[in-house]
Amino acid sequence: VDVLKATALPLLKKFGIYGESLEIKINRRGMPPKGGGEILFACPVRKVLQPIQFTDPGKIKRIRGTAYSVRVSPQMANRMVESARSILNKFLPDIYIYTDHMKGISSGKSPGFGMCLTAETINGTILSAELASNPQGQGAAVVPEELGQNCAKLLLEEVYRGGCVDSTNQSLALLLMTLGQRDVSKVLLGPLSPYTIEFLRHLRSFFQIMFKIETKTPEEEHMGGEKVLMTCVGIGFSNLSKTIR
């Protein structure tokens, strides 16, 4: 949920879905296996989506994050923050990781802890990584220090992959581009995840939309892994259920 809150909402705003009512609110935090979380999602209604030209990710300027703990010692979150910072501080001074300890009625039914980190660039690109402890009774027990370090490494992996949208939100960006107005949309992505590749096949089946895919080598971009420039013309989808006053 933290990743969606930090990355998907700003992405929706780029496509013209914005307003006071766009929010994700975490009322309760649930952890697997028993869950028990509660989230409030609110989104304004829009008639059409704007096309986007989002091809310059820019340089990383700051890192933010949330370390959360549910039905375990609040100290767990602090330990995760310390270990994540030990890696990230080598690259950037502007790092702030919040701790979020849920207790009582606002915690779910299972104990656990986890961490979400986001890197923000000067051009408004947000890359994220997330890691949570293994569910109770499943797999090996995870030490908070180890989880914090691994999450920091996952974030660095995302930064290396680069692009204007991180690997979790690639499919969302491509879907919104497809549903946009009959105009050209462009977005620069890192290497496509297997999920995104399958998703592109679905877009072709449902909307008959084919993306133009151009690869950019690391030498051209001077950074990270191979990038992919995705271009398409939207189908001009319009929300007919919105009343016109």
Side-chain angles (χ1 to χ4, degrees), residues 165-234:
V165 181
D166 61 2
S167 47
T168 33
N169 288 304
Q170 284 177 350
S171 53
L172 177 64
L174 297 178
L175 175 65
L176 294 173
M177 282 164 70
T178 304
L179 292 171
Q181 289 162 301
R182 293 183 190 277
D183 203 346
V184 177
S185 285
K186 285 185 181 184
V187 70
L188 185 73
L189 301 178
L192 298 180
S193 65
Y195 181 89
T196 309
I197 292 166
E198 196 56 48
F199 192 79
L200 281 167
R201 293 186 184 124
H202 288 320
L203 286 178
R204 188 179 62 193
S205 309
F206 281 85
F207 298 112
Q208 285 75 52
I209 282 280
M210 299 273 279
F211 278 79
K212 181 183 172 193
I213 302 175
E214 299 168 70
T215 53
K216 304 268 186 185
T217 57
E219 288 74 39
E220 289 175 54
E221 297 292 316
H222 303 297
M223 53 189 169
E226 284 199 355
K227 307 284 186 292
V228 190
L229 183 65
M230 308 290 285
T231 311
C232 84
V233 175

Side-chain angles (χ1 to χ4, degrees), residues 3 14 44-46 62 74 79 100 146 173 182 221 224 228:
V3 162
K14 288 189 188 303
V45 179
R46 289 286 174 266
R62 61 178 175 201
R79 285 162 65 185
D100 184 11
E146 203 177 300
R182 293 183 190 277
E221 297 292 316
V228 190

Side-chain angles (χ1 to χ4, degrees), residues 41-181:
F41 171 63
C43 182
V45 179
R46 289 286 174 266
K47 191 160 188 280
V48 289
L49 294 172
Q50 295 170 359
I52 63 163
Q53 304 285 324
F54 198 19
T55 53
D56 183 10
K59 289 188 162 55
I60 306 286
K61 64 173 179 179
R62 61 178 175 201
I63 291 174
R64 294 287 179 266
T66 307
Y68 53 87
S69 52
V70 177
R71 294 188 176 273
V72 292
S73 159
Q75 203 52 40
M76 295 286 198
N78 298 335
R79 285 162 65 185
M80 284 188 286
V81 171
E82 287 300 314
S83 61
R85 286 189 74 109
S86 69
I87 291 181
L88 297 173
N89 271 340
K90 295 173 188 170
F91 305 99
L92 203 66
D94 188 359
I95 298 171
Y96 201 91
I97 304 172
Y98 300 90
T99 54
D100 184 11
H101 178 64
M102 291 278 191
K103 52 180 189 257
I105 199 163
S106 58
S107 64
K109 297 175 180 173
S110 296
F113 53 88
M115 187 174 221
C116 151
L117 292 173
T118 56
E120 196 179 326
T121 72
I122 48 178
N123 290 351
T125 296
I126 298 174
L127 307 170
S128 67
E130 184 183 32
L131 210 54
S133 58
N134 291 330
Q136 196 178 15
Q138 295 176 29
V142 182
V143 187
E145 284 79 4
E146 203 177 300
L147 188 136
Q149 285 187 347
N150 288 343
C151 192
K153 286 173 185 169
L154 276 177
L155 183 69
L156 295 176
E157 173 71 23
E158 278 293 342
V159 172
Y160 175 78
R161 290 169 68 101
C164 296
V165 181
D166 61 2
S167 47
T168 33
N169 288 304
Q170 284 177 350
S171 53
L172 177 64
L174 297 178
L175 175 65
L176 294 173
M177 282 164 70
T178 304
L179 292 171
Q181 289 162 301

